[in-house]
Amino acid sequence: MVKEIASADEYAAAVKSGKLVVVDYFATWCGPCKMVAPKFALLADKYPDAVFLKLDVDAFPEIAEQAGISAMPTFQLFKEGARVGDDIIGAKIDAIEQQVQQFIA
C-alpha cells in the first residue's frame, strides 16, 4: 500500500523508520507522475517489508526543497533516517525496484 503524506511531522517520522522507506515526490499536474503511480503501487504490494510513500511537492514545498527535489517524479530511499542509494529522477520503475532489492535486506 502507498500512503500519501499528510503532514511534515508524518514525513519526518516515516523516513526515520527502521524499515526501508521509498518516497515518491510527485505533483498532481505531472504526467509522468500519473503514469508511474500504478506501477509504484504494484511495487508496494510486491515488497510489503518496505514503506512506500507519496509526497505532493506543491503541498509541501519546504520538504521538497530540503530533499533537493528539482524534477518530478523523483524517488528517494531512506533507511533509519538516512538516505540510501541514488535519487531516481523520472518514471524509471525498474531502477526503483533494483534499489529496493538492494536495500531491503
Side-chain angles (χ1 to χ4, degrees), residues 49-64:
D49 291 337
V51 177
F52 288 76
L53 305 174
K54 292 177 69 73
L55 184 127
D56 184 341
V57 298
D58 292 325
F60 298 100
E62 66 286 347
I63 295 173

Side-chain angles (χ1 to χ4, degrees), residues 5-79:
I5 293 296
S7 73
D9 289 341
E10 182 182 23
Y11 172 83
V15 297
K16 291 178 183 168
S17 159
K19 291 186 170 188
L20 178 66
V21 179
V22 186
V23 182
D24 171 6
Y25 298 89
F26 77 101
T28 57
W29 47 263
C30 165
C33 299
K34 292 175 186 176
M35 183 182 75
V36 78
K39 296 173 185 173
F40 189 67
L42 289 174
L43 282 185
D45 292 342
K46 187 173 179 177
Y47 297 98
D49 291 337
V51 177
F52 288 76
L53 305 174
K54 292 177 69 73
L55 184 127
D56 184 341
V57 298
D58 292 325
F60 298 100
E62 66 286 347
I63 295 173
E65 184 177 334
Q66 289 171 359
I69 306 305
S70 60
M72 278 72 65
T74 295
F75 300 86
Q76 293 179 340
L77 286 78
F78 296 84
K79 200 160 193 179

Side-chain angles (χ1 to χ4, degrees), residues 76-99:
Q76 293 179 340
L77 286 78
F78 296 84
K79 200 160 193 179
E80 297 176 3
R83 288 210 359 229
V84 295
D86 298 321
D87 288 6
I88 301 163
I89 300 171
K92 300 174 184 164
I93 204 70
D94 291 339
I96 299 164
E97 185 167 18
Q98 285 174 354
Q99 287 200 35

